[in-house]
Amino acid sequence: MSLAFYLAFKEIWRNKGRFLLVSLVIALITLLVLFIAALGEGLGTNNREYISKLDGQLVVFLEKSDYIISASRLRQSTLRAVRRVEGVEDAGPISTSSTAILLPPGSKNEVLKVSLLGVEAGRPGFPQLTAGRTFLSATAREVIVDQRVLDRTDIQIGDTITVRSTQGVEDEFYDLKVVGTTSGQAYFFQPSIFVTPSVWEKIRPKSDAELGNTVAAINIIVVRLKDSTQIEQMKEKLLSSVKNIEVADIQTTINNIPGYSAQQGTVQTQGGFTLLIGILVIGGFFQIQVLQKVPQIGVLKAIGASNPVVGAAAVIQISLVTAFGVAIGGLLTYLFSLGFPPTVPLFFNGAASALALVALLLIGPLGGLVSVIYAVRIEPLKALRLS
Amino acid sequence: MSVIVTHPIQNIIAEKQSEAKPIALEVRNVVKTFLTDTGPINAVDDVSFSVRQGEFVALVGPSGSGKTTMLSILAALLTPTSGQVLIDGQDLARMNERERVRLRREKIGFTFQSNNLIPFLNALENVELMLRLNNRLDKAGRIRSAELLARLGLGERLYNLPSQMSGGQQQRVAIARALIHSPTVVLADEPTASLDTERAFQVVQTFAALIHENDRAGIMVTHDLRMCQYVDRVLQMRDGKLVRIYETRAEILALAQGGEH
């Protein structure tokens, strides 16, 4: 065992209470950071999940819609024009709206709000099925539902659901047969249900002025390319071949979902500030500790401990305390997460959580950096001068 | 509590013996100048002396006489402005910081007035620390550490933390730590300052016995002249200068009976 590790470990072991307290503070910070990260991921996922899983590389919007899905309205002729562009393997329309499924009497809530998406079967934008089948026809009153709908209701394949939709100023009710399920398809903070474009146009909430419409309005067109590496070239090609459109890749589309960037920015700022608070708390603790240990460090140096040994002992000590705190915090986060209902948007993404954990493991050494430098600079003469 | 008692006559014998022994520490015309607002001050002013193996020397003088500065120079914690300090023939002034750290670790044993021990290590671990620092801790070293502590009357306190021991017991652990790695020179900075009279006599008496027995060169800075009865020679400093050396037993005893500075 190296001398530095020996000194670091012995001090922690003989002052377990004090160091445990610091570890618990780090654990609480870990809990907070991981929950903020999970919340950010959960909110982001609920907002973008469907878009991020689109089986295409480019998204076509109405010109000057600023890549905002709800602001974009495209014609069927545009869809046909896009499909004709060389290099386009396929293109699928997506129509978006919001509606509510009526829940059986006795349920906790009267309705379950969902995103109503109109998509063509087998085209880009159509979700991958986890069970059941696709639509029998373009006008079939059939629906494919996201797993989250199943998680929150007793609906099963073969059931008929009732959708409530405001038509003008009246509420209308439409029955749809559940023929398939998909998973991980949340959009705009709601689980999604999928219908054909013509059914979508029929049942979507409409204003008085829209009541006579029979042709589905398309919000965006998802384009699957023959060569997925030619994104920039195909973007230019689409813009030059089809009039009145603008084209974005998937990430740009996600970033322009209303509120998405602002929300993610807010959550990330919260996480950043929590880490900063962690750095200050840990830095403060270890600085006070080093100040209390000046004579002891002076004695260590006077009897021949080198600066690298003293510095390494301090770094190892901070790292051990931080690692222990992060481990407790990770465990607490896991235990707490088991108790949260599916409606709470917490999503423990492996990469995001790992990044948060690495950041948490770094806050100890970062926070303690000043105290380590201070410890290394203590003169061995302190052992004599203080005596 | 068992302590090692050494009659002053044994010191006389040790002195006679040490005269023939090689010089462990030599100080040649050492000057240490500090720059202050009022101009340069010589805290140590042209001091020369030597200490042989097996010799226990007291460095005395009133407050501000330069004895702690001298001790810091001997411990390679301060570099003299001029002059030479040789330990085992090695000139401290020619060493870089890394070499000085190594010298302190290998050739010097230290006891301080207070804050002597590492508070989170028990008595045995504090003593073993010197062997760890020198990468010499093995089973034999552990046994020697325990035996040395037992000889100092701390056989029942091996696993006690400093906070669980009295000041006198802590000083004895510090003495064991200062000697366990067989250093050339053992330096003690006011080792009795925080002890009551009875404990102070016991600690210095024990210290002297071990210095003689292990053939180390010991230098003790003290303001308490009564402690000089256990040393072989007394170096008296005033205003940075070495003003007098008490060498005969009669002189030393007379000084010791004079009491504190």
Side-chain angles (χ1 to χ4, degrees), chain A residues 120-271:
Chain A
E120 285 185 14
R123 299 279 194 179
F126 187 76
Q128 194 167 8
L129 297 183
T130 52
R133 59 168 175 79
T134 184
F135 309 121
L136 279 181
S137 70
T139 56
R141 291 288 180 99
E142 293 175 339
V143 66
I144 291 164
V145 299
D146 186 9
Q147 183 63 38
R148 285 191 179 85
V149 175
L150 305 184
D151 291 342
R152 298 175 199 184
T153 63
D154 294 327
I155 295 167
Q156 291 177 331
I157 292 177
D159 289 352
T160 298
I161 60 169
T162 302
V163 170
R164 186 182 71 191
S165 173
T166 306
Q167 303 288 314
V169 291
E170 300 290 330
D171 272 353
E172 296 287 339
F173 299 91
Y174 301 95
D175 287 341
L176 300 169
K177 187 180 179 187
V178 178
V179 295
T181 60
T182 182
S183 70
Q185 301 290 347
Y187 174 66
F188 216 64
F189 303 112
Q190 293 169 334
S192 304
I193 63 171
F194 297 86
V195 293
T196 64
S198 64
V199 172
W200 179 83
E201 183 55 40
K202 177 77 180 167
I203 69 173
R204 75 176 171 99
K206 289 196 272 288
S207 64
D208 277 333
E210 294 174 310
L211 282 175
N213 286 1
T214 52
V215 179
I218 299 168
N219 288 109
I220 53 171
I221 297 165
V222 186
V223 180
R224 187 164 64 228
L225 305 175
K226 286 177 180 169
D227 183 353
S228 60
T229 62
Q230 300 285 307
I231 290 177
E232 284 306 312
Q233 294 88 329
M234 282 306 295
K235 195 191 283 184
E236 293 304 316
K237 200 167 186 178
L238 280 164
L239 287 170
S240 61
S241 307
V242 184
K243 288 178 183 173
N244 302 326
I245 61 164
E246 56 190 20
V247 183
D249 55 26
I250 300 292
Q251 191 55 49
T252 307
T253 306
I254 289 171
N255 290 341
N256 285 284
I257 293 174
Y260 178 82
S261 296
Q263 176 201 70
Q264 289 299 299
T266 305
V267 172
Q268 281 164 9
T269 305
Q270 282 177 347

Side-chain angles (χ1 to χ4, degrees), chain B residues 166-213:
Chain B
S166 67
Q169 288 168 333
Q170 287 185 40
Q171 277 297 1
R172 279 184 276 154
V173 175
I175 290 169
R177 186 185 65 191
L179 289 161
I180 191 66
H181 58 302
S182 308
T184 305
V185 179
V186 181
L187 304 173
D189 179 29
E190 303 274 13
T192 61
S194 56
L195 304 178
D196 60 47
T197 305
E198 190 189 349
R199 301 266 181 235
F201 278 122
Q202 285 174 349
V203 163
V204 176
Q205 202 174 13
T206 307
F207 202 7
L210 287 167
I211 292 285
H212 292 140
E213 197 175 303

Side-chain angles (χ1 to χ4, degrees), chain A residues 28-74:
Chain A
L28 290 177
I29 291 168
T30 303
L31 186 71
L32 196 58
V33 168
L34 286 180
F35 265 103
I36 289 173
L39 186 67
E41 191 63 25
L43 288 171
T45 299
N46 277 352
N47 211 346
R48 67 164 184 248
E49 194 173 37
Y50 170 62
I51 301 294
S52 67
K53 288 182 177 175
L54 288 175
D55 54 344
Q57 292 78 38
L58 292 172
V59 178
V60 176
F61 294 80
L62 175 67
E63 191 175 27
K64 294 178 183 169
S65 63
D66 294 332
Y67 309 114
I68 296 170
I69 295 173
S70 56
S72 170
R73 289 281 188 283
L74 297 167

Side-chain angles (χ1 to χ4, degrees), chain B residues 212-232:
Chain B
H212 292 140
E213 197 175 303
N214 292 287
D215 246 0
R216 308 291 155 218
I219 298 171
M220 170 178 70
V221 164
T222 183
H223 68 278
D224 188 348
L225 296 178
R226 294 172 302 173
M227 300 301 144
C228 294
Q229 64 180 290
Y230 300 107
V231 304
D232 306 313

Side-chain angles (χ1 to χ4, degrees), chain A residues 1 3 6-8 10-12 14-15 293 295-307 309 379-381 383-387, chain B residues 34 68 71-72 75 77-78 97 101 104-105 108 110 112-122 125 128-130 132-133 161 177 189:
Chain A
M1 198 190 323
L3 181 62
Y6 171 80
L7 290 171
K10 280 285 179 187
E11 185 168 15
I12 294 172
R14 296 266 157 78
N15 296 284
K293 291 198 310 188
Q296 174 194 316
I297 294 170
V299 167
L300 263 176
K301 289 187 175 184
I303 64 175
S306 63
N307 275 337
V309 166
E379 289 285 333
L381 267 175
L384 289 170
R385 282 181 183 165
L386 289 181
S387 60
Chain B
F34 290 113
T68 299
L71 192 77
S72 302
L77 295 173
L78 269 183
E97 184 52 33
V101 170
R104 286 204 295 272
R105 192 164 59 219
I108 297 174
F110 241 130
F112 307 98
Q113 176 182 330
S114 58
N115 303 311
N116 233 318
L117 304 177
I118 306 303
F120 53 83
L121 299 180
N122 64 33
E125 289 165 344
E128 289 174 352
L129 181 61
M130 280 317 299
R132 277 185 191 278
L133 278 167
L161 292 171
R177 186 185 65 191
D189 179 29

